Amino acid sequence: MLGSMADVEEIQAQFTALTTAAEAGDAATISKLAERVHAADLAKVYQDLDSEEARRTFVAALDTETLASVMRDVPAEMVEDTLGLLDQKE
């Protein structure tokens, strides 16, 4: 049972670190942390971000394959919004 509690705490810590990095505009940290987080969990973090700028930083930090996996786990309207963020980046 202790192992599962540690796992939950680790996941919560990763969510917090990813959210904090996105809000700070720290794409390098997001990229590094994302390597160890499942795409469905990244999608949850992405959906919980409050600002467009944090979302833009988040998607810019992900490689193409990871971003595609994340987008499979978000609502369709959010995928459309994300495409708009990517267009603004270019």
Side-chain angles (χ1 to χ4, degrees):
M1 192 73 162
L2 289 175
S4 66
M5 182 58 91
D7 292 343
V8 168
E9 290 174 358
E10 175 67 19
I11 290 168
Q12 288 174 335
Q14 289 173 338
F15 277 35
T16 299
L18 283 162
T19 300
T20 300
E23 291 171 350
D26 186 354
T29 297
I30 294 167
S31 182
K32 182 178 176 182
L33 291 171
E35 294 174 1
R36 301 179 305 207
V37 179
H38 190 276
D41 294 327
L42 291 171
K44 173 72 173 125
V45 172
Y46 181 68
Q47 290 176 72
D48 289 346
L49 293 173
D50 292 329
S51 76
E52 184 177 292
E53 190 58 39
R55 287 190 189 110
R56 183 179 294 113
T57 299
F58 194 87
V59 299
L62 302 178
D63 62 64
T64 304
E65 184 178 323
T66 302
L67 180 58
S69 295
V70 169
M71 290 298 105
R72 284 192 282 267
D73 290 312
V74 299
E77 62 274 0
M78 188 168 252
V79 172
E80 290 177 26
D81 291 345
T82 301
L83 292 175
L85 294 174
L86 293 172
D87 286 343
Q88 291 174 9
K89 186 178 86 170
E90 295 175 2

